[in-house]
Amino acid sequence: MKRTIFLVDGQSFYASVEKAARPDLRDKPIAVGDPDRRGGIILAACPIAKARGVTTASRVGEAMGKCPDLVVVRPRMQTYVTISLFISEIFASFTDQVEPYSIDEQFLDVTGSIKYFGPPLEIARQIQERVLLSTGVWSRVGIGPTKILAKMATDNFAKKRPDGIFELNQDNIEAELWPLPVHQMFMVANRMTQHFVRMGLNTIGDIARLDFGDFKARMRRRMGRQSDIQAGYYWQTARGIDPSPVVSNIRSQIKNISHGKTLRWRLYTKLTDIEVVLLELVVEVCRRARRYGYQGRVVSVGAGETDGEKSAGFGRQMTLSQST
């Protein structure tokens, strides 16, 4: 049976929550960060601020230079988590298959909901209206038969459309997705982009049209025999192949609950900046633990880096005196 999966993304989530809470900021450029630290990092920027050159992960001072009337609002992580959980409840009124991907993105499998709520586009519009009226956050919805296609539909198309909705499937993947530059494929960062370009693979379609054996051989010549798993992943991603289900619950005993985040390391060299990221990771882990009804005593943190060929990392952990 063909699946219908959504990836729903809250536009400029932190900034949208702040604007909803403060109507006086409605028509002003705002960003979320520490207003007292010009060297701090912008966590989110509203569309008005983005149109004036303010970008996420830029420095507060740099953002103020581009947009002198920018209002920088201090982050309220617990508020964002509360709103995110509330949005999850809205999604749950449409389907019981809801999987948080991050604090502002969630996968929904609405395959079984179509007969109750109408075709996918209609369900997407209903979700947008409910979330906007309830929270003030505008949602973009990518639709696809797989999680990978739903994610790429959101990131590459829905975010750029006025209606915030786009469907990507096997009927239009060749015309819509394959002409895009290879760096716009999911999970392709700068270093991997360089590898692909040097292999003569400049677009997503350049990978998708290759026979898998040919693509794997090219990857081996470029990156060595250890690249076979990566080759399989990227070739399937380019073709929209992804059998993974939307997981709304845990079917077996879980041994750990974790959350990770990919960062540009050059922007996170100070403890004060890293602490903001750690807080968001902690919030996500605690959120999942509460949902599954679990407590734990061992707390671990790790960091890793890769240039696409070599990887390195470290980890630390400690045991608490009481479960939490």
Side-chain angles (χ1 to χ4, degrees), residues 173-181 203-206 208-209 238-240:
I173 185 174
E174 185 171 357
E176 300 288 351
L177 184 68
W178 289 6
L180 297 182
T203 68
I204 297 175
D206 288 340
R209 291 186 180 93
R239 289 177 164 237

Side-chain angles (χ1 to χ4, degrees), residues 298-310:
V298 180
V299 180
S300 304
V301 63
E305 63 175 354
T306 181
D307 61 2
E309 295 178 348
K310 299 178 181 178

Side-chain angles (χ1 to χ4, degrees), residues 12-19 21-22 25 30-37 40-45 56 60 71-83 103 268 272-280 283:
S12 306
F13 184 65
Y14 297 169
S16 295
V17 171
E18 296 300 341
K19 281 202 169 189
R22 294 183 54 183
L25 299 178
I30 82 158
V32 176
D34 188 341
D36 298 327
R37 294 180 55 249
I41 292 172
I42 297 294
L43 300 178
T56 301
V60 172
V71 180
V72 181
V73 181
R74 197 178 303 278
R76 298 182 296 155
M77 294 305 300
Q78 185 56 55
T79 298
Y80 307 147
V81 173
T82 301
I83 298 297
I103 196 169
Y268 295 87
T272 49
D273 295 329
I274 295 169
E275 284 176 337
V276 175
V277 178
L278 285 173
L279 178 59
E280 181 174 343
V283 163

